[in-house]
Amino acid sequence: MTLLVNSKQVLIHSVSFTYLNNMDNKGSDADAIYKLLKASRDAKKAAYMPYSKFPVGAALLCADGTVITGCNVENASYGLSICAERTAIVKAVSEGYRKFKAIAISSDLKNSHIVPCGACRQFLVEFGTDWDVYMTKPDLSYKMMKTGELLPLSFVPESLEEERLSNSIKG
């Protein structure tokens, strides 16, 4: 499938449109996806990345249709940096959102689709293993995978409810 963007045809890869039918009754599914992809690309402009010079933006689609954006924020102590995906989720959770339909991620990688790092993959599956992750290139072409596909055999909240050898800690 192709989508017309600024008089150019953009190839759409591996699309799952099922959730969008209920989210955007005013436009087409392709329009709703395009808006999410564009929001992630626009969020990239706010990135604070003085060390890596690698801007990343994310746009998170909440269950009610709200879109919350995030960007990467680096720190001189590299381990304290936060990725765009986690920024968007933290913003959403701090506003009371807990259910998500999709996230789009954008970077300046010309020849590859941006993919979430391992920490972000774990952060995503915290909120479910069956929602969409759109990984883009600057031309807004993308690959889509489910959160659970990105982190198979993931440790999820339900893992904490599994039966254990002992429920008490002995000192």
Side-chain angles (χ1 to χ4, degrees), residues 2 31 63 76 88 90 92 107 149 151 154 165:
T2 59
D31 289 339
V90 167
S107 77
E149 292 174 317
L151 190 64
S154 54
L165 290 176

Side-chain angles (χ1 to χ4, degrees), residues 1-5 8-13 15 17 28 30-31 142:
M1 170 182 200
T2 59
L3 173 67
L4 194 60
V5 179
K8 290 183 176 178
Q9 283 192 347
V10 176
L11 182 61
I12 306 298
H13 301 275
V15 181
F17 292 113
S28 72
D31 289 339
Y142 64 85

